[in-house]
Amino acid sequence: MTQQLQNKNAIIYGGSGSIGGASARAFAREGATVFLAGRTLKTLEAVAEDIKAAGGSAHVAELDALDESAVNEHAAAVAAQAGSIDVSLNLVSRGDRHGVTLVDMTAEDFARPVTTGLMSNFNTARAAARHMAEQGSGVILTLTSASSRGTAPTLGSTGVADAATETFLRYLAAENGPQGVRVVGLWAAGIPETFDPPLPPEVSQRMAEMTMLHRMQSLTQVVDSFVFLASDRAAGITGTILNVTCGLVSG
């Protein structure tokens, strides 16, 4: 079977987290050379070693996605080394604060996810878009929780941060589409495998019952969706968000 990402070069920001690591391994299995970027070199190297042990190709870089100059320099280095940047996936954690009402939340806790989410996506997507526009192709991906469509209490500024990032990406898609660059988001919320410690069974059951399918999306389903969106099979998809919430959120 032909690999979906054969000969593609993918930068994964936040590449050592639960979703980032799984995405990196999946991209590598599908033929991509992955460039893992994040703030903790040790955990990035562990993911890279897994990929190499399985026969894949991976590189690591210690990088803060909020550092504009560092992001630009890293993207330029990847493009020079690999010859292209075909996929950019932002999975940088934002430091969301949950469990506190808005009226009791500090300004710092409210602003952090909005600023971190928006600026990390701006820095990484802009750096990738510049190289992709020159080469005439590329895919920029990110993850949000669909909270921009909901009104669940005590989620802090998660919905605001999601909305800001999603709006930015739609405009980026419109501006860079003529140069062959696709920009796509993905909605996922409450992925069971990403909770540490694991959710109690009764909590997992309640969350599942809130979805249309009465089950939560799995990490594999989320990662497989990223692989598809990054591939040429999704060549007609841009400026939108793929909903992988099992119907937790409609639309």
Side-chain angles (χ1 to χ4, degrees), residues 192 194-200:
T194 64
F195 286 92
D196 185 19
L199 291 174

Side-chain angles (χ1 to χ4, degrees), residues 211-218 221 243-248:
T211 72
M212 294 179 186
L213 295 176
H214 280 206
R215 58 176 172 81
M216 298 303 296
Q217 75 271 262
S218 69
Q221 290 164 348
N243 188 342
V244 193
T245 67
C246 289
L248 180 64

Side-chain angles (χ1 to χ4, degrees), residues 7-180:
N7 300 322
K8 293 188 183 293
N9 303 304
I11 303 177
I12 301 178
Y13 299 94
S16 64
S18 54
I19 304 175
S23 297
R25 294 179 183 95
F27 278 28
R29 283 196 302 270
E30 290 296 332
T33 297
V34 296
F35 293 81
L36 307 174
R39 292 181 297 177
T40 308
L41 195 59
K42 182 178 181 180
T43 52
L44 292 169
E45 289 174 338
V47 175
E49 287 305 314
D50 285 348
I51 290 170
K52 293 174 183 177
S57 178
H59 307 268
V60 301
E62 189 172 2
L63 177 69
D64 184 348
L66 295 177
D67 186 332
E68 178 184 359
S69 296
V71 170
N72 290 337
E73 290 170 6
H74 176 257
V78 170
Q81 175 183 344
S84 66
I85 299 175
D86 303 298
V87 184
S88 173
L89 170 57
N90 187 307
L91 294 169
V92 173
S93 103
R94 305 184 306 199
D96 295 60
R97 175 78 187 278
H98 296 158
V100 179
T101 63
L102 289 170
V103 296
D104 293 322
M105 180 167 285
T106 67
E108 180 182 2
D109 282 346
F110 180 84
R112 182 175 55 253
V114 181
T115 302
T116 301
L118 182 58
M119 294 312 301
S120 71
N121 274 282
F122 175 74
N123 288 339
T124 60
R126 182 185 59 171
R130 288 170 171 170
H131 291 279
M132 292 174 179
E134 287 185 6
Q135 66 198 31
S137 64
V139 187
I140 295 169
L141 303 171
T142 197
L143 175 72
T144 49
S145 70
S147 294
S148 60
R149 295 292 296 273
T151 54
T154 71
L155 285 184
S157 58
T158 293
V160 180
D162 284 357
T165 297
E166 291 163 9
T167 301
F168 159 65
L169 292 171
R170 284 197 299 271
Y171 279 89
L172 188 71
E175 291 180 355
N176 290 273
Q179 288 76 48

Side-chain angles (χ1 to χ4, degrees), residues 5 7 40 75 113 133 152 158 203 232 250-251:
L5 303 180
N7 300 322
T40 308
T158 293
V203 175
D232 294 339
S250 62

